[in-house]
Amino acid sequence: MTDSWWKKSVVYQIYPRSFADADGDGMGDLRGIIDHLDHLAELGVDVLWLSPVYPSPQDDNGYDISDYQDIEPLFGTLEIFDELLAGAHARNMKIIMDLVVNHSSDEHPWFQESRSSKDNPKRDWYWWRPARPGMDSGTPGAEPTNWGSVFGGPAWEHDEKTGEYYLHLFSKKQPDLNWENPEVRQAVHAMMRWWLDRGVDGFRMDVINMISKDVSLPDGRLNAGSAYADGSAAFIGGPRLHEFLQEMHREVFAGRDGLLTVGEMPGVTVDEARLHTDPERGEVDMVFQFDHVWVDRGPDPWLLVPLQLTALKAILGRWQAGLADVGWNSLYWNNHDQPRVVSRFGDDSPAHRAASAKMLGTVLHLHRGTPYVYQGEELGMTNHPFGGIDEFRDIEALGQYRQAVELEGRTPEEVLRVLRARGRDNARTPMQWDDSPHGGFTTGTPWLPVNPNHTEINARAQRADPESVFHYYRRLIELRKTEPAVADGDFTMLLPHDERLYAFTRRLGATELLVIGNFSGVEARAEIDGWEGAELVLTNLERPAAGLTLQPWQAVVYRRAV
Ligand code: NOJ
């Protein structure tokens, strides 16, 4: 790997259908992104990650792709895409594409061919299996394994035409591609090169640690109370994953500079991530791991577990230590699959929303790694006040609700309580540009309602207010550019047992930074010596009165020479 410019960079994720709608059909589009490039340039981000913009039946909002080499008509055309790419490049921002190749859409021609007959040349491009031995195809329980799919229901779909089942770890409209077949890998590599030749700057690789499966497809462990088993031991970090990633690197990325590759890897361990991101091995530049966003998830998926700050620190501290000398990590609180962080780990009441949003940003961005800002995070956007299940649109929320209520005996209210707090639609309500009806997102009817708080929380108001979350994020991003210890310094966790304060230092040469965030609504004092007289580089509230006493939700960053 040639350089590591991305260590000094900040990535901004755009979820196109919810970002900005230029043509009034209620759905965001590429033209809408072009119209707002200056907002992103002003924020100072370096890389834009576009969630999928390819043709798609939109079963999973574009993560079900029916043509990898075109643009979804709802979003625009290839010509408009080229215009977007040029507009971003002209502002010194790169664009990385979402690469969704663990599965395609069932409407992709590859799958259409594959399902057409048992001896079609593309049959083996997907995972086809007969019914469980001794059982009749299509009868309950005859699926080849007992695995559940992520979106509820079994991970296998019976296909009438040939009487076999195909594997879909996600929805039944997202059949898993068979990476064991070299033709599949070659087709994916060719497609990736095509986008790079067009000028894109890399890829965020969707659930890329699921592409290699244990080909014996063993049954999974059945947890008490659940209708289907967890088969992940057979497909998370499977036997050929490193080989597949190294091959992809050789075939697609070798000899090209200035690119970024990010592997989304649910369930990846620190040790595996070290291997995946060791530049010597030529796999990916950084991983996107999940441990810290699973901190408030207990064994029972339908119980809300409150945040325990010491647990969060233990997890992130372990990742910092594990990748300290080799490898690199992504830093994120939010994306299109997570609830809004200010509602989750902060306090979204009017009194503390802005302060806690800024505090959370400070703590995250000053870890070692590349920070990600998800659209609206720079405004401190909050969760949406969802009511009943009919207000949700996300296939995951709807599928899991159905399985929990209809098959597992949960009450609608207990499931809804969790979906309201953690559901993915919280992140997917439209971007809040101004205080006009529908928040300036669309002149039509938005596909998902705009949060009613857009009258208070919106980009126009915040860009005009130097004390806003937006301008605080701008300063935070700038700090990464001006203070080398932010990107390159080493990391030491402090106060690991404190349930209110998140504190750490970063050190590079003779410069040391002290970062403290108060994750609580009460004043708290940090017992850390030696920082009297240090320079206050950044804080989200008035300067702390005396010593290291932080007000509710305060963040401070100090610098000293050592
Ligand atoms: C991870 C993506 O982030 C998520 O939105 C999607 O539903 C699944 N992968 C399946 O593609």
Side-chain angles (χ1 to χ4, degrees):
M1 216 144 295
T2 46
D3 57 2
S4 41
W5 55 272
W6 29 262
K7 292 188 177 175
K8 292 195 169 49
S9 301
V10 175
V11 180
Y12 186 97
Q13 183 191 353
I14 295 178
Y15 195 65
R17 58 191 282 138
S18 302
F19 190 66
D21 171 23
D23 65 5
D25 65 355
M27 184 76 77
D29 46 42
L30 298 184
R31 185 68 67 202
I33 303 175
I34 294 174
D35 291 345
H36 290 282
L37 282 174
D38 287 333
H39 171 88
L40 304 171
E42 185 181 343
L43 186 58
V45 296
D46 307 276
V47 180
L48 308 179
W49 150 25
L50 299 187
S51 276
V53 291
Y54 316 93
S56 161
Q58 303 288 324
D59 190 51
D60 183 21
N61 293 0
Y63 283 88
D64 48 316
I65 297 168
S66 53
D67 180 350
Y68 287 104
Q69 292 180 213
D70 205 345
I71 296 294
E72 162 62 40
L74 282 169
F75 294 156
T77 61
L78 276 171
E79 288 64 41
I80 302 175
F81 178 84
D82 290 341
E83 213 182 299
L84 169 60
L85 195 56
H89 287 168
R91 291 168 179 81
N92 280 323
M93 296 185 289
K94 297 180 186 260
I95 291 192
I96 64 171
M97 304 291 278
D98 219 309
L99 180 82
V100 189
V101 289
N102 172 68
H103 43 268
S104 71
S105 164
D106 66 337
E107 297 182 33
H108 195 292
W110 294 345
F111 187 74
Q112 297 289 315
E113 281 187 52
S114 182
R115 86 184 323 173
S116 66
S117 76
K118 281 190 189 172
D119 52 17
N120 183 280
K122 289 209 168 54
R123 183 65 167 182
D124 185 47
W125 281 42
Y126 294 84
W127 295 87
W128 290 98
R129 289 290 183 277
R132 199 173 269 278
M135 296 199 67
D136 288 335
S137 207
T139 58
E143 291 85 10
T145 73
N146 60 358
W147 305 351
S149 86
V150 175
F151 297 155
W156 294 92
E157 180 70 6
H158 180 244
D159 198 45
E160 291 290 339
K161 178 121 199 238
T162 57
E164 288 192 327
Y165 293 79
Y166 65 86
L167 176 66
H168 60 89
L169 296 180
F170 295 88
S171 104
K172 63 181 179 199
K173 289 186 68 60
Q174 293 167 301
D176 281 54
L177 281 158
N178 177 14
W179 278 68
E180 296 295 319
N181 184 329
E183 290 175 15
V184 168
R185 306 202 298 275
Q186 284 154 14
V188 169
H189 299 156
M191 172 272 282
M192 294 173 76
R193 287 190 295 260
W194 184 86
W195 282 105
L196 294 179
D197 291 344
R198 206 167 187 102
V200 310
D201 302 291
F203 298 95
R204 171 270 186 187
M205 305 173 179
D206 191 73
V207 292
I208 203 69
N209 64 335
M210 301 190 187
I211 58 176
S212 164
K213 278 111 175 144
D214 172 346
V215 295
S216 72
L217 304 180
D219 271 338
R221 197 167 36 91
L222 199 55
N223 292 322
S226 51
Y228 301 98
D230 171 11
S232 60
F235 55 77
I236 296 263
R240 300 183 68 188
L241 178 60
H242 291 290
E243 174 198 335
F244 291 162
L245 290 175
Q246 286 169 10
E247 178 189 52
M248 176 191 283
H249 190 270
R250 276 195 314 274
E251 296 295 322
V252 179
F253 300 112
R256 300 186 193 241
D257 289 336
L259 303 180
L260 174 61
T261 57
V262 187
E264 189 211 25
M265 300 196 181
V268 69
T269 64
V270 177
D271 289 343
E272 282 294 310
R274 233 176 115 91
L275 297 175
H276 288 307
T277 60
D278 176 350
E280 298 296 317
R281 294 170 53 90
E283 295 191 19
V284 292
D285 295 325
M286 60 184 85
V287 297
F288 215 80
Q289 60 82 27
F290 283 65
D291 289 350
H292 68 300
V293 291
W294 288 343
V295 64
D296 52 4
R297 187 167 99 159
D300 180 347
W302 301 113
L303 263 189
L304 281 180
V305 179
L307 170 67
Q308 203 190 334
L309 188 66
T310 47
L312 182 67
K313 289 191 279 191
I315 293 168
L316 287 173
R318 190 162 48 78
W319 276 92
Q320 291 288 306
L323 300 182
D325 49 354
V326 175
W328 198 251
N329 204 354
S330 308
L331 305 170
Y332 73 97
W333 294 133
N334 273 122
N335 62 40
H336 63 293
D337 297 330
Q338 300 296 328
R340 294 283 178 180
V341 70
V342 68
S343 302
R344 185 186 200 175
F345 297 156
D347 178 344
D348 63 8
S349 70
H352 296 301
R353 184 192 61 83
S356 61
K358 295 172 186 172
M359 185 281 292
L360 287 161
T362 312
V363 168
L364 185 80
H365 282 235
L366 296 181
H367 277 71
R368 188 176 159 86
T370 296
Y372 286 61
V373 179
Y374 176 69
Q375 64 185 44
E377 185 177 344
E378 79 277 27
L379 308 176
M381 275 176 60
T382 66
N383 277 355
H384 186 81
F386 285 106
I389 191 67
D390 53 318
E391 294 181 19
F392 290 85
R393 292 289 169 273
D394 173 23
I395 184 169
E396 176 177 86
L398 302 177
Q400 291 184 348
Y401 178 90
R402 208 175 310 119
Q403 178 173 320
V405 173
E406 290 171 15
L407 297 182
E408 296 169 351
R410 302 292 185 147
T411 66
E413 198 40 46
E414 70 179 318
V415 175
L416 280 169
R417 210 151 35 91
V418 174
L419 291 180
R420 287 186 198 116
R422 305 271 194 268
R424 307 196 298 181
D425 278 337
N426 283 301
R428 300 174 178 190
T429 62
M431 181 73 179
Q432 297 169 202
W433 293 107
D434 60 35
D435 63 1
S436 68
H438 307 312
F441 165 70
T442 181
T443 54
T445 305
W447 72 274
L448 190 64
V450 179
N451 194 310
N453 65 20
H454 72 271
T455 50
E456 303 297 322
I457 305 171
N458 64 68
R460 177 177 294 164
Q462 294 203 19
R463 288 178 63 179
D465 172 7
E467 298 310 316
S468 64
V469 180
F470 176 83
H471 282 289
Y472 187 86
Y473 260 74
R474 197 180 49 68
R475 292 196 285 275
L476 196 52
I477 292 167
E478 198 175 83
L479 184 59
R480 174 167 295 263
K481 311 286 153 77
T482 55
E483 172 48 71
V486 174
D488 294 322
D490 56 21
F491 177 100
T492 305
M493 186 72 84
L494 306 175
L495 311 179
H497 305 299
D498 194 311
E499 284 295 355
R500 295 206 176 101
L501 297 178
Y502 198 124
F504 55 88
T505 55
R506 303 292 312 280
R507 169 138 181 209
L508 184 69
T511 302
E512 192 173 28
L513 304 176
L514 170 66
V515 181
I516 315 175
N518 184 354
F519 272 69
S520 84
V522 298
E523 191 177 276
R525 189 182 142 71
E527 302 295 343
I528 301 169
D529 294 331
W531 287 83
E532 298 77 21
E535 175 199 0
L536 180 65
V537 181
L538 196 63
T539 182
N540 57 345
L541 297 174
E542 296 292 299
R543 191 188 170 111
L548 300 178
T549 299
L550 274 72
Q551 295 158 50
W553 303 107
Q554 185 160 28
V556 290
V557 182
Y558 285 99
R559 176 165 42 209
R560 70 176 181 187
V562 283

